[in-house]
C-alpha cells in the first residue's frame, strides 16, 4: 500500500484523484478500466468547484465504477465580451474538493489538446432551434460551444454515463438532443439544483457578486417560486412572466428573460404539457440563471 493510500485509511478520507493532462494517458487508463468491465461516469466542469459540482460526482458513484471529472474552461462557449479571461481558476482547491468526494480521475486537458488548431477552426456541433432560444439568444454561439466541447470530451473519455446539472436546464436538454441526434451511446443523467440555505442556486459566477448584491440574489428563486404557485392556482403564463420580470427588476436585477416553457423542449407549452419556469438576469457583474419545474 502506498503511503497515500495508508493515509487515506487513517484519516477516513480519500486519495486525491489521478490528474491526467494528455489524451494518450487518459485513453490508456480508461481502456484498462473498460477491459476490466468498469463502467465510466463523466462529470464535465469548468472548475471553481462548489457543492453543486460535487453533488454530480456523488451521484456519479451510483452510476459508474470509475468516476472521471473534467476541468476545462472552454473558450469556444464564451462570447467576445464575456468573462473567459477572468473566469476563476482554482485548480488546487478543486483537487482537494474532488478528493473529498472520492473522484477517481481528473482530466484537465490543455487548450491545444481540445482545439489543436484553435477553437475558431474546430469542427462544430450545432443544435438548431433548441440551442438558439433563451440562453442561446442572449449568448449567441454559447450552445454551439457547449455542444462542441461536450462532444469532444465524450469522444475523449467515452463514458457510459455523463451527469449534468438541472440548474443549466436548457444545456441539459441541448446535450440530450445532441446525444440522441448523433446516436451517441451515452446515458445522460440530470441532477437537481444544489442551493445555498437562502435558496440561491450555487454557481461559480456567484463569486462575482458583492456582499450587497449577494443579499439581493435570493429574489431570483423567490420570483420562480411565486410564478410556480401562481401557475398552479390557474394564472395565465403571460401574466406570470410579466410578474416575474417586475419582481426581478424590483430586486435591482436586469432581467433578460422570465419564461414559462414546455419541460420537454423549451417550446411555448400547449394545454396539459408539463412546464418549467426559467429566468436569467444580470445582478452587478454576474449573469444569474435559475429555473423551477411546475
Ligand atoms: P460549470 O462548471 O458551470 O460548467 O458546471 C458544470 C456542471 O455542474 C454542469 O452540468 C452544471 O449544470 C452543474 N452545476 C452547476 N451548478 C450547479 C448546481 N448549483 N446544482 C447542480 N448542478 C450544478
Amino acid at each position: 500500500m502506498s503511503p497515500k493510500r495508508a493515509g487515506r485509511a487513517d484519516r477516513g478520507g480519500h486519495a486525491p484523484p489521478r490528474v491526467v493532462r494528455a489524451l494518450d494517458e487518459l485513453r490508456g487508463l480508461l481502456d484498462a478500466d473498460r477491459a476490466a468491465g468498469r463502467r465510466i461516469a463523466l462529470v464535465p466542469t469548468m472548475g471553481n468547484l462548489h457543492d453543486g459540482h460535487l453533488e454530480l460526482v456523488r451521484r456519479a458513484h451510483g452510476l459508474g465504477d470509475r468516476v472521471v471529472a473534467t476541468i476545462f474552461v472552454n473558450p469556444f462557449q464564451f462570447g467576445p465580451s464575456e468573462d473567459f479571461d477572468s473566469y476563476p481558476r482554482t485548480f488546487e482547491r478543486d483537487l482537494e474538493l474532488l478528493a473529498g468526494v472520492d473522484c477517481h480521475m481528473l482530466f484537465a486537458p490543455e487548450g491545444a489538446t481540445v482545439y489543436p488548431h484553435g477553437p475558431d477552426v474546430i469542427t462544430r456541433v450545432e443544435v438548431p432551434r433548441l440551442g438558439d432560444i433563451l440562453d442561446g439568444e442572449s449568448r449567441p454561439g454559447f450552445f454551439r460551444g457547449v455542444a462542441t466541447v461536450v462532444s469532444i470530451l465524450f469522444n475523449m473519455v467515452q463514458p457510459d454515463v455523463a451527469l449534468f446539472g438541472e440548474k443549466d436546464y436548457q444545456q441539459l436538454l441541448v446535450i440530450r438532443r445532441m446525444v440522441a441526434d448523433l446516436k451517441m451511446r451515452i446515458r445522460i443523467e440530470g441532477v437537481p439544483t444544489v442551493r445555498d440555505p437562502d435558496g440561491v442556486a450555487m454557481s461559480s459566477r456567484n463569486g462575482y457578486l458583492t456582499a450587497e448584491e449577494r443579499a439581493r440574489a435570493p429574489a431570483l428563486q423567490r420570483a420562480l417560486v411565486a410564478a410556480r404557485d401562481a401557475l398552479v392556482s390557474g394564472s395565465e403564463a403571460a401574466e406570470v412572466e410579466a410578474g416575474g420580470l417586475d419582481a426581478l427588476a424590483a430586486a435591482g436585477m436586469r432581467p433578460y428573460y422570465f419564461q414559462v416553457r414546455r419541460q420537454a423542449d423549451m417550446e411555448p407549452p400547449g394545454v396539459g404539457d408539463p412546464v418549467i419556469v426559467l429566468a436569467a438576469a444580470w445582478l452587478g457583474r454576474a449573469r444569474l440563471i435559475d429555473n423551477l419545474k411546475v
Side-chain angles (χ1 to χ4, degrees):
M1 194 185 271
S2 73
K4 207 177 263 169
R5 292 281 158 189
R8 160 191 182 147
D10 293 346
R11 291 195 313 273
H14 304 288
R18 174 154 182 170
V19 178
V20 178
R21 301 258 182 208
L23 182 55
D24 285 353
E25 185 188 1
L26 178 82
R27 288 194 159 146
L29 290 166
L30 294 181
D31 282 350
D33 280 326
R34 271 184 286 270
R38 294 190 192 102
R39 285 167 310 149
I40 293 161
L42 172 66
V43 176
T45 83
M46 299 206 300
N48 190 29
L49 302 182
H50 51 65
D51 205 48
H53 299 111
L54 301 183
E55 182 62 16
L56 302 190
V57 174
R58 289 186 201 103
R59 298 269 181 136
H61 280 290
L63 298 168
D65 310 294
R66 182 64 81 213
V67 175
V68 181
T70 64
I71 293 181
F72 182 65
V73 184
N74 173 33
F76 197 28
Q77 73 188 62
F78 286 79
S81 58
E82 291 187 353
D83 54 344
F84 175 73
D85 290 328
S86 59
Y87 198 84
R89 286 147 172 100
T90 54
F91 192 80
E92 293 306 321
R93 184 167 172 277
D94 292 348
L95 207 52
E96 277 175 31
L97 291 171
L98 289 171
V101 288
D102 201 17
C103 181
H104 303 128
M105 197 182 293
L106 170 58
F107 180 49
E110 302 292 339
T113 304
V114 180
Y115 301 122
H117 311 289
D120 295 343
V121 290
I122 197 73
T123 300
R124 290 150 185 226
V125 181
E126 297 259 10
V127 180
R129 187 153 183 96
L130 179 57
D132 297 330
I133 57 177
L134 300 172
D135 287 332
E137 190 184 334
S138 62
R139 305 177 71 186
F142 172 66
F143 286 118
R144 176 177 57 216
V146 168
T148 299
V149 80
V150 169
S151 64
I152 294 170
L153 291 170
F154 281 178
N155 282 325
M156 294 199 284
V157 175
Q158 295 186 261
D160 298 281
V161 53
L163 297 93
F164 294 86
E166 289 184 356
K167 197 208 68 159
D168 303 286
Y169 188 79
Q170 190 179 2
Q171 169 172 280
L172 172 63
L173 292 194
V174 163
I175 302 298
R176 283 195 201 283
R177 176 76 60 82
M178 173 186 86
V179 163
D181 287 354
L182 301 183
K183 324 299 179 209
M184 296 175 170
R185 296 177 79 178
I186 301 172
R187 170 175 165 191
I188 303 300
E189 198 65 22
V191 176
T193 302
V194 177
R195 298 177 181 280
D196 281 328
D198 63 0
V200 173
M202 290 188 179
S203 163
S204 301
R205 289 189 169 99
N206 289 351
Y208 294 157
L209 299 171
T210 64
E212 188 269 325
E213 288 160 356
R214 179 64 188 75
R216 281 189 279 134
L220 180 54
Q221 197 219 12
R222 274 204 303 272
L224 291 169
V225 171
R228 181 191 59 191
D229 293 349
L231 288 166
V232 168
S233 22
S235 299
E236 294 294 327
E239 181 193 334
V240 166
E241 291 169 350
L245 291 172
D246 286 348
L248 299 186
M253 300 186 190
R254 280 176 295 139
Y256 192 82
Y257 62 76
F258 195 101
Q259 292 274 307
V260 180
R261 294 292 171 111
R262 187 153 68 192
Q263 279 180 28
D265 58 7
M266 308 273 91
E267 294 291 335
V271 178
D273 287 336
V275 299
I276 182 166
V277 192
L278 306 111
W282 285 96
L283 180 53
R285 267 186 70 213
R287 184 182 186 281
L288 307 179
I289 60 170
D290 202 349
N291 62 76
L292 203 58
K293 289 180 186 163
V294 179

